[in-house]
Amino acid sequence: MDFTPTPEQEAARELAARIFGDLSTPERLAGLGGGTDTELWKALGDTGLAAAVEETGLLGLVLMLEEQGRTTAQVPFAASCVFGLLAVAAHGTAEQRERLLPGLRDGSAVAAGAFPGRTGIMVSATRAGPGAGPRAAADSGPGRALLTGTVPWVPWLRDATHVLVAVREKVAHSLWMVRAADAQCEPVELTAPWSAGRLVLDGTPAERIGDASAYEDVLAAARTAFAGLQAGVCAGSLARAVEYTNQREQFGRPLAAKQGVQLRAAEAHMDVEAIRVTAYEAAWRRDAGLGHRSHALTAAWWASEAGKRVVHTGQHLHGGMGADLDHPVHRHFLWGRQLDGYLGCGSEVLEELGELIATGAHEGGESA
């Protein structure tokens, strides 16, 4: 395994770091409230960073998401790239790729993912054709269906033009792309300011994306990508804590000189590295065409369990300032806690990983 970025991946990471660093400042974020930074999103599209994901792969996306996480930039970069660009590029038909990818590349289209926890999927599909129910549309053809149901919260739904919906079938899941304009969106506020909404489908037309293997592949890619985002969120939180404890003096000495502070920071650093390396490995394996489901679950577990430890440490090392809701470190805390439970909390992904290992569908035997 060699996680050394290619020149293209490194160039994309450096450009992302510059854009996020320049535009996503604490002062700017404070003025946004809970909304999306439309200027920043346009800049990402104009510079071709979303389109670059097709060339740099999932590892390249993870590297860019680290930079987003460091600044907690309020844009749907991870969601649109994973549930839109990568999903359609890997599993869409030639016609779907030609129709959907251009907008996803330049940012004029935004994809969200209706991927709640394993017990939270409440969407059913009615297909046209033999055996179809009375709700089937007359113009539905092969690979099309009407979806009915509710997903309680979908990150970035208020910005989305398309939503990738996971539908639970009898023995597996399938993926369907829905135009946001055809569905109902009720605003929902999450822990982190992710422009979320409650997705309501009532006979909403949808088109199938991929075959039976698409769901597991997209879910694993999403877990890996958001683990990379968590690595950046945690690294940013720790960097702020280090800066603060080096400047803040107590009894004539910097707080950073105290052994207890050093130990907490060192433990947090090791947690950040664990999140980062497991996300890198899962992304590298997917790009290399190797089994990666168990590795994505491992990265998700570290992102959940270690992630919440790090953002709590970041607040604690700020002392009383960490309790200030307007302090930049609190934003990292909110993002870290949101990512802790997104796509499965630590105990859920650990259970899923155990089941995967028990059935032997891991390592070289993985199908996704």
Side-chain angles (χ1 to χ4, degrees):
M1 293 179 291
D2 183 4
F3 303 149
T4 304
T6 64
E8 293 78 14
Q9 290 170 337
E10 184 61 29
R13 185 198 67 78
E14 291 177 355
L15 179 58
R18 186 162 64 250
I19 293 174
F20 287 127
D22 289 346
L23 296 182
S24 188
T25 62
E27 297 76 19
R28 184 181 178 84
L29 288 168
L32 288 173
T36 297
D37 191 335
T38 55
E39 182 180 340
L40 174 56
W41 182 245
K42 185 177 185 303
L44 293 172
D46 291 344
T47 54
L49 276 184
V53 173
E54 289 183 271
E55 298 180 10
T56 62
L58 184 56
L59 181 54
L61 175 59
V62 166
L63 292 170
M64 289 187 276
L65 290 176
E66 272 195 84
E67 302 304 328
Q68 178 187 359
R70 291 179 197 275
T71 63
T72 61
Q74 291 177 199
V75 287
F77 192 44
S80 194
C81 286
V82 172
F83 299 123
L85 196 69
L86 290 180
V88 173
H91 302 287
T93 64
E95 187 277 331
Q96 287 172 330
R97 293 195 298 271
E98 182 179 359
R99 172 165 47 89
L100 297 173
L101 287 180
L104 293 167
R105 288 170 181 148
D106 63 21
S108 59
V110 176
F115 274 62
R118 286 186 290 173
T119 60
I121 298 176
M122 299 181 291
V123 176
S124 61
T126 301
R127 293 177 179 78
R135 299 179 63 86
D139 60 347
S140 293
R144 295 187 176 274
L146 302 178
L147 303 186
T148 298
T150 301
V151 182
W153 58 276
V154 178
W156 307 109
L157 181 60
R158 280 177 270 170
D159 297 322
T161 57
H162 296 79
V163 187
L164 189 64
V165 182
V167 175
R168 183 164 51 195
E169 307 281 0
K170 291 182 179 179
V171 295
H173 295 83
S174 55
L175 294 181
W176 300 84
M177 188 68 81
V178 171
R179 290 197 317 150
D182 295 332
Q184 298 178 46
C185 170
E186 302 170 358
V188 171
E189 297 303 326
L190 303 180
T191 301
W194 285 3
S195 297
R198 181 172 180 262
L199 180 67
V200 180
L201 304 172
D202 185 13
T204 304
E207 56 181 317
R208 180 75 179 259
I209 299 292
D211 55 21
S213 66
Y215 169 78
E216 293 294 352
D217 177 62
V218 173
L219 179 58
R223 282 171 165 159
T224 302
F226 282 96
L229 182 62
Q230 180 76 302
V233 169
C234 292
S237 175
L238 182 57
R240 292 189 183 280
V242 169
E243 180 182 14
Y244 176 80
T245 55
N246 273 286
Q247 294 177 351
R248 180 77 165 87
E249 291 190 357
Q250 189 176 69
F251 304 114
R253 298 178 62 197
L255 288 176
K258 296 182 179 294
Q259 188 178 45
V261 172
Q262 294 172 3
L263 290 174
R264 287 293 301 277
E267 290 172 352
H269 171 73
M270 295 306 296
D271 274 338
V272 173
E273 289 302 303
I275 301 170
R276 177 181 287 125
V277 73
T278 52
Y280 284 5
E281 181 181 13
W284 175 83
R285 289 183 67 89
R286 183 184 188 275
D287 291 342
L290 303 173
H292 60 284
R293 279 181 60 196
S294 63
H295 300 81
L297 286 165
T298 302
W301 184 86
W302 277 104
S304 174
E305 295 294 312
K308 62 187 173 187
R309 285 198 299 266
V310 175
V311 294
H312 275 272
T313 293
Q315 283 214 231
H316 290 167
L317 291 182
H318 277 78
M321 294 298 295
D324 183 355
L325 300 184
D326 295 325
H327 195 284
V329 76
H330 186 68
R331 188 176 297 273
H332 290 269
F333 175 78
L334 296 179
W335 278 62
R337 290 313 309 253
Q338 186 72 61
L339 287 164
D340 162 29
Y342 184 50
L343 300 179
C345 66
S347 59
E348 289 175 334
V349 298
L350 191 61
E351 178 186 1
E352 192 173 339
L353 178 59
E355 293 172 354
L356 193 67
I357 294 173
T359 58
H362 68 290
E363 303 297 342
E366 284 187 321
S367 59

